[in-house]
Amino acid sequence: MAGLFDKQAAIYLDARPTYPKDWYSMLADCTSHHSLAWDVGTGNGQAAIGVAEHYEQVIGTDVSEGQLKYAIPHPKVRYVHTPLSMSDDELVTLIGGEGTVDLITVAQAVHWFDLPRFYSVVTHLLRKPGGVLALWGYKDIKVSPIFDAAGLSWFQTTLPYWNSKVQHVYDDYRTLPFPFESVGLGSEGNPLLLDIPKEVSFEGYLGLVRSWSAVATAKEQGVDLLPEGVVKELETAWGGAKLVRTVVYKAFMLAGKVKL
């Protein structure tokens, strides 16, 4: 899976929505200390940098070296490549050791993880009591009734090319196992639903959907999900290539602490 995202890294950097600053503030309010945070699947480092506003040190890790090439430098953030071959004990030691981490974040990535293995590492690393794990993602983009209908019609053509793990995103993480004690920001089976507003041009939207793993997978199989005719139809529904619209990314969050 890392190889897929290596190929998409350049356009992925420009396509992602910006997570609101108040998300990081509300998560920081849930942790008893603010020394060390770990952002997993950090990608371009967007979430790591947001977390760094509230924590003394942040470690951002990713299995994709391609993604990390685009990581945004920050004096409080250290980026580390963590290949899948790294053992759990090595990972725990790398991040800081047993019970040292105040906040662990995963933005738009946890559905790809080996969850039992990841949750075991989280349980070792989180400070007890007081440490928090927060997972979030986003799916639908609400633009306008006309565009939303056209976008949904096109989205149906992508369905055969998605990895089955993306089902958790379709479900707003409602079906994602989350065996942690709620801190009031979403719990297993009951995610906190959130909106991410953003000013986006049609080219920006096109960059987002071109970064989707399903689009890359289809391309590898010789199928172009965004031929010129389809792009033109979407552009017309948007209102023109240069038109900047206020869109809303529909997001969801689960947050919790280790059950004692």
Side-chain angles (χ1 to χ4, degrees), residues 12-14 16 42-47 49 62 67 70-72 79:
Y12 199 56
L13 174 65
D14 294 327
R16 296 181 76 171
T42 197
N44 65 26
Q46 182 198 148
I49 288 172
D62 208 295
Q67 289 279 342
Y70 295 91
I72 308 158
Y79 296 109

Side-chain angles (χ1 to χ4, degrees), residues 156-184:
Q156 302 296 325
T157 69
T158 73
L159 293 178
Y161 304 100
W162 287 105
N163 185 290
S164 60
K165 291 184 177 182
V166 179
Q167 183 62 45
H168 289 307
V169 176
Y170 301 159
D171 296 338
D172 301 330
Y173 284 178
R174 281 187 176 85
T175 57
L176 189 84
F178 192 71
F180 296 89
E181 183 179 335
S182 175
V183 293

Side-chain angles (χ1 to χ4, degrees), residues 1-259:
M1 196 55 66
L4 174 62
F5 288 107
D6 285 347
K7 295 172 188 172
Q8 297 295 92
I11 57 174
Y12 199 56
L13 174 65
D14 294 327
R16 296 181 76 171
T18 303
Y19 306 125
K21 289 183 177 181
D22 63 340
W23 289 15
Y24 305 113
S25 300
M26 68 185 185
L27 289 170
D29 287 345
C30 292
T31 67
S32 56
H33 297 79
H34 301 87
S35 299
L36 177 62
W38 176 29
D39 184 47
V40 197
T42 197
N44 65 26
Q46 182 198 148
I49 288 172
V51 170
E53 296 301 311
H54 302 275
Y55 293 81
E56 293 171 18
Q57 181 188 5
V58 181
I59 300 173
T61 65
D62 208 295
V63 299
S64 167
E65 288 186 282
Q67 289 279 342
L68 289 174
K69 288 176 183 176
Y70 295 91
I72 308 158
H74 189 283
K76 290 164 69 175
V77 179
R78 178 164 64 96
Y79 296 109
V80 184
H81 177 228
T82 50
L84 291 172
S85 58
M86 182 176 285
S87 73
D88 293 357
D89 287 344
E90 288 174 323
L91 188 54
V92 169
T93 301
L94 170 72
I95 302 303
E98 188 88 23
T100 58
V101 181
D102 300 303
L103 177 67
I104 297 174
T105 54
V106 190
Q108 192 71 354
V110 79
H111 46 280
W112 298 112
F113 293 4
D114 175 340
L115 287 177
R117 181 182 179 190
F118 174 62
Y119 287 157
S120 174
V121 171
V122 166
T123 300
H124 282 290
L125 280 171
L126 275 182
R127 188 188 293 271
K128 295 174 279 290
V132 169
L133 167 66
L135 318 175
W136 66 83
Y138 59 89
K139 55 169 191 177
D140 296 342
I141 309 160
K142 298 299 182 186
V143 181
S144 69
I146 291 173
F147 184 83
D148 293 349
L152 179 60
S153 179
W154 172 77
F155 177 75
Q156 302 296 325
T157 69
T158 73
L159 293 178
Y161 304 100
W162 287 105
N163 185 290
S164 60
K165 291 184 177 182
V166 179
Q167 183 62 45
H168 289 307
V169 176
Y170 301 159
D171 296 338
D172 301 330
Y173 284 178
R174 281 187 176 85
T175 57
L176 189 84
F178 192 71
F180 296 89
E181 183 179 335
S182 175
V183 293
L185 299 174
S187 58
E188 186 173 63
N190 187 31
L192 176 65
L193 301 182
L194 299 157
D195 287 344
I196 309 174
K198 187 168 184 174
E199 299 289 307
V200 177
S201 67
F202 179 71
E203 288 300 317
Y205 167 81
L206 208 53
L208 175 73
V209 297
R210 281 181 171 148
S211 78
W212 285 359
S213 59
V215 174
T217 298
K219 194 170 186 178
E220 288 176 355
Q221 296 177 18
V223 177
D224 183 4
L225 292 175
L226 287 164
E228 186 177 345
V230 168
V231 170
K232 195 66 185 174
E233 287 177 15
L234 292 171
E235 179 186 311
T236 300
W238 184 277
K242 303 301 182 185
L243 179 63
V244 174
R245 309 194 69 136
T246 300
V247 308
V248 176
Y249 294 86
K250 306 303 287 187
F252 38 88
M253 179 181 289
L254 299 170
K257 55 188 179 181
V258 176
K259 294 177 180 178

